[in-house]
Amino acid sequence: MAKFATYFLMDSEDVLSYVKEKISFFDENSELECEEIGDGNLNYVYHVVDRLSNKSVIVKQAGDTARISEDIKLSTNRIKIESNVLKMHGELAKGHAPDVYLYDDVMNCCVMEDLSDHTILRDALLEFKTFPKLADHISTFMVQTLLPTTDLVMNHKEKKLQVKEYINPELCEISEDLVYTEPFNDYNNRNELIASNKEWIEREIYGDSELRLEAAKLKFDFMNHAQALIHGDLHTGSLFVTQNSTKVIDPEFAFYGPIGYDVGNVIANLVFALVHGDAYNKKDFVGWAEKTIVEVVDQFIEKFDRYWDEHVTELMAKESGFKEWYLEQVLCDTAGVAGLELTRRIIGLAKVKDITSIEETDARVRAERICLTFAKQLIKVRHAFKTGNVYLQALKQSIQNN
Ligand code: SR1
Ligand code: MG
């Protein structure tokens, strides 16, 4: 029987044979090398390069459990979602997604463009590198991928079919648990708190009933608001960058959910970068991060507004005041989600290097408290966060108070 006729988890050797058999990307006489380079929580990522021509591809395969924990059982269908969404993103936001060469529903893998000339944004930010076009690129990406998939623009029957097509229960369950539930009660007993912040977090987060109530409301918004086809995991580890280019990868958590989930994730992860810079007293970097957070919010609003005027087709959405009402909801969700992402990455199972790499205990304690103090405000008074400057002032206040 053919080697790739039934699913199994490949190793580097298998991937070499796979690439030779399945794609015609490389020359006949190529000398291929393959290395597993994945450092994400879920999948296996192989880099295949031809030593002679230097041409390369990425092969990404889904296992049926998460890499981060064998206890997390997952459907391998997520690679189909990822491949389809990457293709869609490539069409909607030209230049901001890698090309997909092949999707294989037997091996649950896809072969895609290698972005080795780019760097993972989180890694670059950890080295205090700055990217002047990031805010422009990511705000464009969000508006161009999110708004066209809403009922504002899409045929409503077609959109309902898309909601069905992109149903993603297992990966949504991960977010429902890790983002919306565990940070507030540790009900799965897998939160990881550093000793010096344990008491503070138990009091300020687990012990804050108003905060828990607002998180519960946001959870039901996430589960029930099929607003747009969202990326679903738009953090700085899902962005590949150069000085002139921003590519968005890893949309395996995509489903029809609230627009604010993507925007809030971008903002929160820029806050982590800023707080990391602050811990190492990198003033220029912090200045750039502040400016970028403000620009992401303000440019998202500006581009949203422009896109709306040029593309919205739904008759009732053209009623005077509806655009302002809709945008206000999106911004409210954005702030709430930014707060949740800041909270869960400090308290929960899936952490971010921006914070965990801060070695000195006092500095780590302070960084965590800055994030969590800011997060509480974002969640509790989320309706107030309507401009980039409001974010900046509240963040500066949290830095000052800790
Ligand atoms: C079990 S997966 C943990 C986290 O990694 C992904 O990137 C998502 O952010 C998820 O919450
Ligand atoms: Mg990912």
Side-chain angles (χ1 to χ4, degrees), residues 138-204:
I138 197 63
S139 54
T140 295
F141 172 85
M142 292 191 290
V143 168
Q144 290 184 349
T145 60
L146 295 167
L147 289 208
T149 60
T150 63
D151 280 305
L152 297 166
V153 177
M154 276 188 90
N155 170 284
H156 305 328
K157 282 193 213 140
E158 179 56 31
K159 189 219 161 199
K160 287 175 180 69
L161 293 173
Q162 290 289 297
V163 171
K164 183 173 158 195
E165 176 74 18
Y166 284 105
I167 191 120
N168 199 352
E170 282 155 334
L171 293 226
C172 282
E173 187 184 36
I174 292 180
S175 305
E176 286 153 24
D177 269 339
L178 290 185
V179 180
Y180 289 92
T181 309
E182 292 176 30
F184 303 95
N185 47 44
D186 199 18
Y187 92 101
N188 268 330
N189 212 12
R190 56 182 179 180
N191 285 351
E192 292 170 6
L193 312 183
I194 58 167
S196 320
N197 258 344
K198 192 166 179 290
E199 241 174 68
W200 192 92
I201 287 172
E202 283 168 354
R203 187 182 65 247
E204 291 293 327

Side-chain angles (χ1 to χ4, degrees), residues 40-42 66-69 72 74 122 171 174-176 178-179 190 232-235 237-238 250 252-253 261 265 341 344-345 349-351:
N41 294 324
L42 300 184
R67 285 182 87 155
I68 193 176
S69 161
I72 302 179
L74 294 168
R122 192 185 306 283
L171 293 226
I174 292 180
S175 305
E176 286 153 24
L178 290 185
V179 180
R190 56 182 179 180
D233 200 22
L234 199 47
H235 55 77
S238 297
D250 269 8
E252 65 200 315
F253 282 78
Y261 194 79
N265 263 282
E341 173 73 0
R344 69 99 165 207
R345 297 286 189 185
L349 175 72
K351 306 237 180 270

Side-chain angles (χ1 to χ4, degrees), residues 204-217:
E204 291 293 327
I205 306 293
Y206 300 167
D208 185 339
S209 58
E210 186 195 337
L211 183 71
R212 295 197 312 268
L213 171 62
E214 295 311 314
K217 292 179 193 169

